[in-house]
Amino acid sequence: MQALIWVGTVLLVAALTHIGGRKDKSSSGPSKQSARQQLCDGACVIALRFIHLGVNIHRSFQEWVQSSLNQAGLDVHELLEGDDNEVVAVRRQQMADFLTSLPQRPVHLAVILPEAHEDIVNDVEILCASSLLAKVPRLTVYIRGEVIKDSAEAISSRLRKSKIAARAFGSTPRIDLNSGNDHVEHLGVDTGRIPDAELEERKPDIYVSLWSRNDSYPALSALARELASQTQCGLLDAKRVDEEFIKNRLADPSGYCHPDLVVLVDDLACLPEFPPWQLQNAEMVQLSTSNAVDGLGGVVFSALVRYAKVEKRWGK
């Protein structure tokens, strides 16, 4: 965008100079073009060439993304099939190289799934593997109902021995799974041989959170009741309760930032009670698995490519 503004400014100055040059030429009679006129013509030529180059670069980028996505779709499909061989491994590495070479990638990816989702355990595994392949260190999966929290034990068991996640990462990944109430499980490591203090300090390869509507407005209500109770009992000075205090109480205990990218997997453009304070810095993309290259894996990769082309303005 800044480059286009610069080119537009150059063209405007060149046009004004050209008009001025024509007036000088008409007043001085037939003569050689002035140095100013020659400079104007040169600036116009350079500006037009820059525009032409920019259009060609954009078109080449679009073609590269499209061809890479087609290749990525085949790789994702074979990755999720379960069979592995040298050819699949090479294509998987090509896809990983493509994803990590994107101009920008989110640090925190949030995926909103429809409430009618059936196989939530398999969905979380696929999303985790896709995030590991793209080297996204934080994944949040949100479903409005409590089915995702009720399936936390099954999700933990699946991720603990996930072959898909291991293939996507290249080895057994260290996964931290937060299923609510600040309960974090450390998966992919031999927890019996590592002291608890050292285990807490180890940085996971991916941090996975399971959110439901209870992490949204009910969480705010619970916090309000807690602060009111502490104030009444004299345990908390009411003057301390300001915006910064509330922000710190709602902060993610894992230390990660709010989502950079929120992917809505639904045909209906609606955020079903997703925590609103988590959307302050997020880019939102709506996609459907019916139109994706390869199910949820294709949704993640398509969203990452879109995010790579986003110009963040931070509200400006």
Side-chain angles (χ1 to χ4, degrees):
M1 181 60 70
Q2 294 179 350
L4 290 177
I5 294 176
W6 180 83
V7 170
T9 304
V10 171
L11 288 175
L12 179 61
V13 172
L16 293 176
T17 308
H18 180 69
I19 293 175
R22 290 182 61 182
K23 290 181 179 180
D24 292 344
K25 182 178 179 180
S26 59
S27 59
S28 60
S31 62
K32 293 183 178 180
Q33 286 186 328
S34 65
R36 186 172 59 177
Q37 182 66 32
Q38 294 177 3
L39 180 63
C40 164
D41 294 341
C44 288
V45 171
I46 293 174
L48 290 175
R49 288 184 177 178
F50 266 110
I51 293 175
H52 180 70
L53 178 63
V55 171
N56 286 338
I57 291 175
H58 178 72
R59 186 178 302 168
S60 299
F61 179 76
Q62 294 287 346
E63 294 174 355
W64 172 65
V65 166
Q66 188 62 43
S67 62
S68 300
L69 274 181
N70 292 336
Q71 179 66 36
L74 177 61
D75 288 343
V76 173
H77 177 73
E78 295 194 9
L79 172 66
L80 301 182
E81 282 292 321
D83 297 332
D84 201 13
N85 54 55
E86 185 176 351
V87 175
V88 173
V90 170
R91 290 176 176 173
R92 185 166 56 241
Q93 185 59 47
Q94 289 175 347
M95 181 170 57
D97 293 340
F98 162 69
L99 292 172
T100 54
S101 68
L102 292 174
Q104 60 181 355
R105 286 174 290 122
V107 175
H108 185 177
L109 168 67
V111 180
I112 303 177
L113 298 177
E115 197 168 0
H117 245 56
E118 297 178 356
D119 194 355
I120 183 63
V121 177
N122 187 60
D123 292 340
V124 173
E125 182 184 21
I126 294 172
L127 291 171
C128 181
S130 303
S131 301
L132 284 167
L133 192 65
K135 300 297 186 291
V136 176
R138 173 69 192 268
L139 169 68
T140 292
V141 184
Y142 175 88
I143 292 183
R144 181 182 181 278
E146 288 304 302
V147 62
I148 193 167
K149 298 293 182 71
D150 296 338
S151 305
E153 186 175 347
I155 292 173
S156 173
S157 178
R158 176 71 69 86
L159 293 181
R160 191 183 301 275
K161 55 184 179 181
S162 174
K163 293 181 179 180
I164 294 178
R167 289 174 182 173
F169 187 67
S171 60
T172 301
R174 296 190 302 272
I175 303 174
D176 280 5
L177 178 64
N178 188 340
S179 55
N181 299 323
D182 297 337
H183 175 63
V184 179
E185 292 185 75
H186 305 284
L187 312 176
V189 294
D190 190 353
T191 56
R193 298 183 179 181
I194 302 176
D196 293 340
E198 182 181 344
L199 198 60
E200 291 295 333
E201 293 179 358
R202 282 195 173 191
K203 186 177 180 180
D205 297 308
I206 187 169
Y207 189 100
V208 181
S209 294
L210 308 179
W211 287 357
S212 69
R213 68 175 301 274
N214 284 335
D215 298 291
S216 183
Y217 297 111
L220 285 177
S221 300
L223 177 60
R225 288 194 299 269
E226 179 185 351
L227 296 180
S229 176
Q230 291 179 357
T231 303
Q232 289 178 351
C233 296
L235 301 175
L236 177 65
D237 186 0
K239 294 181 180 180
R240 290 182 54 200
V241 182
D242 54 12
E243 292 183 13
E244 191 66 25
F245 184 86
I246 299 296
K247 175 183 176 181
N248 293 333
R249 291 297 297 268
L250 291 173
D252 195 315
S254 65
Y256 282 93
C257 61
H258 298 300
D260 306 291
L261 174 62
V262 175
V263 182
L264 175 61
V265 186
D266 203 343
D267 294 325
L268 181 63
C270 174
L271 299 176
E273 299 186 63
F274 188 85
W277 61 90
Q278 298 285 355
L279 298 172
Q280 59 182 9
N281 298 326
E283 296 291 334
M284 286 180 281
V285 175
Q286 181 185 8
L287 294 169
S288 174
T289 54
S290 59
N291 298 325
V293 178
D294 187 20
L296 280 176
V299 164
V300 171
F301 299 143
S302 297
L304 290 175
V305 170
R306 291 194 184 187
Y307 182 81
K309 299 182 287 183
V310 167
E311 180 185 359
K312 288 204 167 189
R313 301 184 181 180
W314 307 106
K316 297 180 181 180

